[in-house]
Amino acid sequence: MADTDEWSAPFHDIDTVTAVPYGDLHTVSPFVATPEHAIHTILHHLQLTPQDFLVDLGCGHGTINVIAAKKYSVRGLGVDIEPGLVEIAKENAIKEDVENLVDFRVEDVLQTDL
């Protein structure tokens, strides 16, 4: 895909300091941040309302839940197995003043009670 293609995923600006690979899980499913433009597009098409509850399994930095809470007042839950990523997600929620709407947990997504 060309760099100008609207569906290309430019990952050159992603924070590479976050410790990501560990064990077999990230060999199969590594952390890759969803581009923010894609998040806005997806959330717009979901037509979220404050009555909705958004669950992000493998939430990483929590960007999807934080944007949904800030823009649409949507409550939500983000789950990730990596404690460092969950800590960043919690910090992002506080920074954006939506910590009362979203919860982030260190948890294996296969064990998450939905």
Side-chain angles (χ1 to χ4, degrees), residues 4-104:
T4 57
D5 185 325
E6 73 174 287
W7 293 105
S8 64
F11 298 116
H12 64 280
D13 60 343
I14 292 177
D15 173 17
T16 57
V17 176
T18 303
V20 176
Y22 65 95
D24 291 336
L25 179 65
H26 278 123
T27 301
V28 176
S29 178
F31 167 69
V32 177
T34 305
E36 195 166 320
H37 177 76
I39 294 170
H40 284 284
T41 300
I42 292 165
L43 294 177
H44 170 75
H45 286 289
L46 287 174
Q47 299 180 0
L48 297 169
T49 70
Q51 288 72 43
D52 293 314
F53 190 87
L54 180 66
V55 177
D56 185 3
L57 300 174
C59 68
H61 294 162
T63 309
I64 293 172
N65 286 102
V66 169
I67 291 173
K70 189 164 182 77
K71 189 167 183 177
Y72 301 100
S73 300
V74 172
R75 295 177 308 110
L77 169 66
V79 175
D80 204 287
I81 199 165
E82 172 59 45
L85 294 175
V86 172
E87 188 58 36
I88 291 169
K90 290 177 178 182
E91 291 169 5
N92 288 338
I94 291 168
K95 184 168 47 171
E96 295 299 327
D97 197 30
V98 294
E99 70 274 14
N100 61 323
L101 292 173
V102 295
D103 182 30
F104 294 102

